[in-house]
Coordinates of all heavy atoms in Angstrom, one line a residue:
Y864 N 108.7 121.6 108.0 CA 108.3 120.2 107.7 C 107.6 120.1 106.4 O 107.8 119.1 105.6 CB 107.5 119.6 108.8 CG 108.2 119.4 110.1 CD1 107.9 120.3 111.2 CD2 109.2 118.4 110.3 CE1 108.6 120.1 112.4 CE2 109.8 118.3 111.5 CZ 109.5 119.1 112.6 OH 110.2 119.0 113.8
G865 N 106.8 121.1 106.0 CA 106.1 121.1 104.8 C 105.8 122.5 104.4 O 105.2 123.3 105.3
V866 N 106.1 123.0 103.2 CA 105.9 124.4 102.8 C 104.8 124.5 101.7 O 104.5 125.6 101.3 CB 107.2 125.1 102.3 CG1 108.2 125.2 103.5 CG2 107.8 124.3 101.2
G867 N 104.2 123.4 101.3 CA 103.1 123.5 100.3 C 103.5 123.8 98.9 O 102.8 124.5 98.2
H868 N 104.7 123.4 98.5 CA 105.1 123.7 97.1 C 104.3 122.8 96.1 O 103.9 123.3 95.1 CB 106.6 123.4 96.9 CG 107.5 124.5 97.4 ND1 108.9 124.3 97.5 CD2 107.2 125.7 97.9 CE1 109.4 125.4 98.1 NE2 108.4 126.2 98.3
E869 N 104.0 121.6 96.5 CA 103.3 120.7 95.7 C 102.0 120.3 96.5 O 101.2 121.1 96.8 CB 104.1 119.5 95.2 CG 105.4 119.9 94.4 CD 105.0 120.5 93.1 OE1 103.9 120.3 92.6 OE2 105.8 121.2 92.5
D870 N 102.0 119.0 96.8 CA 100.8 118.5 97.6 C 101.2 117.9 98.9 O 100.5 117.2 99.5 CB 100.1 117.4 96.8 CG 101.0 116.2 96.4 OD1 102.2 116.3 96.8 OD2 100.5 115.2 95.8
E871 N 102.4 118.4 99.4 CA 102.9 117.8 100.7 C 102.2 118.4 101.9 O 102.3 117.9 103.0 CB 104.4 118.0 100.8 CG 104.9 119.4 101.1 CD 105.1 120.2 99.9 OE1 104.6 119.8 98.8 OE2 105.8 121.3 100.0
G872 N 101.5 119.5 101.7 CA 100.8 120.2 102.8 C 101.7 121.2 103.6 O 102.9 121.2 103.4
I873 N 101.1 121.9 104.5 CA 101.8 122.9 105.3 C 102.0 122.4 106.7 O 101.1 121.8 107.4 CB 101.0 124.2 105.4 CG1 100.9 124.9 104.0 CG2 101.6 125.2 106.4 CD1 102.2 125.5 103.6
C874 N 103.3 122.5 107.2 CA 103.6 122.2 108.6 C 104.9 122.9 109.0 O 105.9 122.6 108.4 CB 103.8 120.7 108.8 SG 103.9 120.2 110.5
L875 N 104.8 123.9 109.8 CA 105.9 124.8 110.2 C 106.1 124.8 111.7 O 105.1 125.0 112.4 CB 105.6 126.2 109.7 CG 105.2 126.3 108.2 CD1 104.7 127.7 107.9 CD2 106.4 126.0 107.3
L876 N 107.3 124.7 112.1 CA 107.6 124.8 113.6 C 108.3 126.1 113.9 O 109.4 126.3 113.4 CB 108.5 123.6 114.0 CG 108.9 123.5 115.4 CD1 107.7 123.3 116.3 CD2 109.9 122.4 115.7
L877 N 107.6 126.9 114.6 CA 108.2 128.2 115.1 C 108.8 128.0 116.4 O 108.2 127.5 117.4 CB 107.1 129.2 115.2 CG 107.5 130.6 115.7 CD1 108.3 131.4 114.8 CD2 106.2 131.4 116.2
Q878 N 110.1 128.4 116.5 CA 110.7 128.6 117.9 C 110.9 130.0 118.1 O 111.5 130.8 117.4 CB 112.1 127.9 117.9 CG 112.7 128.1 119.3 CD 113.9 127.2 119.5 OE1 114.2 126.2 118.8 NE2 114.6 127.4 120.6
I879 N 110.4 130.5 119.3 CA 110.5 131.9 119.7 C 110.9 131.9 121.2 O 110.1 131.4 122.0 CB 109.2 132.7 119.4 CG1 109.3 134.1 119.7 CG2 108.0 132.0 120.0 CD1 108.2 135.0 119.2
G880 N 112.1 132.3 121.5 CA 112.6 132.1 122.8 C 112.7 130.6 123.1 O 113.2 129.8 122.3
D881 N 112.2 130.2 124.3 CA 112.2 128.7 124.6 C 110.8 128.1 124.3 O 110.6 127.0 124.8 CB 112.6 128.5 126.0 CG 111.7 129.2 127.0 OD1 110.8 130.0 126.5 OD2 111.8 129.0 128.2
R882 N 110.0 128.8 123.5 CA 108.7 128.2 123.2 C 108.7 127.7 121.7 O 109.3 128.3 120.9 CB 107.6 129.3 123.3 CG 107.6 130.0 124.7 CD 107.1 129.1 125.8 NE 107.0 129.7 127.1 CZ 106.7 129.1 128.2 NH1 106.4 127.8 128.2 NH2 106.6 129.7 129.3
R883 N 107.9 126.7 121.5 CA 107.8 126.0 120.2 C 106.3 125.9 119.9 O 105.5 125.3 120.6 CB 108.5 124.7 120.2 CG 110.0 124.8 120.4 CD 110.6 123.5 120.9 NE 110.6 122.5 119.9 CZ 111.6 122.3 119.0 NH1 112.6 123.1 119.0 NH2 111.5 121.3 118.1
I884 N 105.9 126.3 118.7 CA 104.5 126.3 118.2 C 104.5 125.7 116.8 O 105.3 126.1 115.9 CB 103.9 127.7 118.2 CG1 103.9 128.3 119.6 CG2 102.5 127.6 117.7 CD1 103.5 129.8 119.6
L885 N 103.6 124.7 116.6 CA 103.5 124.1 115.3 C 102.3 124.8 114.6 O 101.2 124.8 115.1 CB 103.2 122.6 115.5 CG 103.5 121.7 114.3 CD1 105.0 121.7 113.9 CD2 103.1 120.3 114.6
F886 N 102.6 125.4 113.4 CA 101.6 126.0 112.6 C 101.1 124.9 111.6 O 101.8 124.5 110.7 CB 102.1 127.2 111.8 CG 102.5 128.4 112.7 CD1 103.5 129.2 112.3 CD2 101.8 128.6 113.9 CE1 103.8 130.3 113.1 CE2 102.1 129.7 114.7 CZ 103.1 130.6 114.3
D887 N 99.9 124.5 111.7 CA 99.2 123.5 110.8 C 100.0 122.2 110.8 O 101.1 122.0 111.2 CB 99.1 124.1 109.4 CG 98.1 125.2 109.3 OD1 97.0 125.0 110.0 OD2 98.2 126.1 108.5
C888 N 99.2 121.2 110.3 CA 99.8 119.8 110.1 C 99.1 119.2 108.9 O 98.2 118.4 109.1 CB 99.7 119.0 111.3 SG 100.7 117.4 111.1
G889 N 99.5 119.6 107.7 CA 98.9 119.0 106.5 C 99.6 117.9 105.9 O 99.4 117.4 104.8
L890 N 100.6 117.3 106.7 CA 101.4 116.2 106.3 C 100.5 114.9 106.1 O 99.6 114.6 106.9 CB 102.5 115.9 107.3 CG 103.4 117.1 107.6 CD1 104.5 116.7 108.6 CD2 104.1 117.6 106.3
S891 N 100.8 114.1 105.0 CA 100.1 112.9 104.8 C 100.6 111.8 105.7 O 99.9 110.8 105.9 CB 100.2 112.5 103.4 OG 101.5 112.4 103.0
N892 N 101.8 111.9 106.2 CA 102.3 111.0 107.2 C 103.2 111.7 108.2 O 103.7 112.8 108.0 CB 103.1 109.8 106.6 CG 104.4 110.3 106.0 OD1 105.4 110.6 106.7 ND2 104.5 110.4 104.7
L893 N 103.3 111.1 109.4 CA 104.0 111.8 110.5 C 105.4 111.3 110.7 O 105.9 111.2 111.9 CB 103.2 111.7 111.8 CG 101.8 112.3 111.8 CD1 101.2 112.3 113.2 CD2 101.9 113.8 111.3
K894 N 106.0 110.8 109.7 CA 107.4 110.3 109.8 C 108.3 111.2 110.5 O 109.2 110.8 111.2 CB 107.9 109.9 108.4 CG 109.2 109.2 108.4 CD 109.6 108.8 107.0 CE 110.9 108.0 107.0 NZ 111.3 107.6 105.6
P895 N 108.3 112.6 110.2 CA 109.2 113.4 110.9 C 109.1 113.4 112.4 O 110.0 113.8 113.1 CB 108.8 114.8 110.4 CG 108.2 114.6 109.1 CD 107.4 113.3 109.3
F896 N 108.0 112.9 113.0 CA 107.7 113.0 114.4 C 107.7 111.6 115.0 O 107.6 111.4 116.3 CB 106.4 113.6 114.7 CG 106.2 115.0 114.1 CD1 105.1 115.2 113.3 CD2 107.1 116.0 114.3 CE1 105.0 116.5 112.7 CE2 107.0 117.2 113.8 CZ 105.9 117.5 112.9
Q897 N 107.9 110.5 114.2 CA 107.6 109.2 114.8 C 108.7 108.7 115.8 O 108.3 107.8 116.6 CB 107.6 108.2 113.6 CG 108.9 108.0 112.9 CD 108.8 107.0 111.7 OE1 107.7 106.7 111.3 NE2 109.9 106.6 111.1
D898 N 109.9 109.3 115.8 CA 110.9 108.8 116.8 C 110.9 109.7 118.0 O 111.8 109.5 118.9 CB 112.3 108.8 116.1 CG 112.3 107.8 115.0 OD1 111.7 106.7 115.1 OD2 113.1 108.0 114.0
L899 N 110.0 110.7 118.1 CA 110.0 111.6 119.2 C 109.3 111.0 120.5 O 108.3 110.4 120.3 CB 109.3 112.9 118.9 CG 110.0 113.8 117.8 CD1 109.1 115.0 117.5 CD2 111.4 114.1 118.1
S900 N 109.9 111.1 121.6 CA 109.3 110.6 122.8 C 108.5 111.7 123.6 O 107.8 111.4 124.5 CB 110.4 110.1 123.8 OG 111.4 111.1 124.1
V901 N 108.7 112.9 123.1 CA 108.0 114.1 123.7 C 107.4 114.9 122.6 O 107.8 114.8 121.4 CB 109.0 115.0 124.5 CG1 109.5 114.3 125.7 CG2 110.1 115.5 123.6
P902 N 106.3 115.6 122.8 CA 105.7 116.4 121.7 C 106.7 117.4 121.0 O 107.6 117.9 121.7 CB 104.6 117.2 122.5 CG 104.3 116.4 123.7 CD 105.6 115.8 124.1
P903 N 106.5 117.6 119.8 CA 107.4 118.5 119.0 C 107.2 119.9 119.4 O 108.1 120.8 119.0 CB 107.1 118.2 117.6 CG 105.7 117.7 117.6 CD 105.5 116.9 118.9
A904 N 106.1 120.3 120.0 CA 105.8 121.7 120.3 C 104.9 121.7 121.6 O 104.4 120.7 122.0 CB 105.1 122.3 119.1
E905 N 104.8 122.9 122.1 CA 103.9 123.1 123.3 C 102.5 123.2 122.9 O 101.6 122.9 123.6 CB 104.3 124.4 124.0 CG 105.7 124.3 124.7 CD 106.1 125.6 125.3 OE1 105.4 126.1 126.2 OE2 107.2 126.2 124.9
L906 N 102.2 123.6 121.6 CA 100.9 123.7 121.1 C 100.9 123.7 119.6 O 101.9 123.9 119.0 CB 100.2 125.0 121.6 CG 100.7 126.3 121.1 CD1 99.9 126.8 119.9 CD2 100.6 127.4 122.3
V907 N 99.7 123.4 119.0 CA 99.5 123.4 117.6 C 98.4 124.4 117.3 O 97.4 124.5 118.0 CB 99.1 122.0 117.1 CG1 99.0 122.0 115.6 CG2 100.1 120.9 117.5
F908 N 98.6 125.1 116.2 CA 97.6 126.0 115.7 C 97.2 125.5 114.3 O 98.0 125.4 113.4 CB 98.1 127.4 115.6 CG 97.2 128.3 114.8 CD1 95.9 128.6 115.2 CD2 97.7 128.8 113.6 CE1 95.1 129.4 114.4 CE2 96.9 129.7 112.8 CZ 95.6 130.0 113.2
C909 N 95.9 125.3 114.1 CA 95.3 124.9 112.8 C 94.6 126.1 112.2 O 93.6 126.6 112.8 CB 94.3 123.7 113.0 SG 93.5 123.3 111.4
S910 N 95.1 126.6 111.1 CA 94.6 127.8 110.5 C 93.2 127.7 109.9 O 92.4 128.6 110.0 CB 95.6 128.4 109.5 OG 95.7 127.5 108.4

């Protein structure tokens, strides 16, 4: 979602097996998630 090339921040979604983990959320807006009815991941890790 964001790799931090400029000032967009870091936000990475890891899928491993049937588990999904969000690494950081430095996004300035949550447009990528606004249409979701369920959480994008089972947990979030803030580094």
Side-chain angles (χ1 to χ4, degrees):
Y864 291 107
V866 293
H868 284 170
E869 299 296 338
D870 58 357
E871 74 272 17
I873 292 287
C874 188
L875 309 168
L876 180 65
L877 173 72
Q878 177 168 351
I879 183 167
D881 58 354
R882 305 294 183 181
R883 294 159 69 88
I884 300 174
L885 202 63
F886 292 150
D887 287 326
C888 188
L890 304 177
S891 56
N892 68 76
L893 297 188
K894 187 176 180 180
F896 308 123
Q897 66 183 11
D898 296 328
L899 297 180
S900 58
V901 296
E905 294 175 57
L906 65 96
V907 182
F908 164 67
C909 176
S910 63

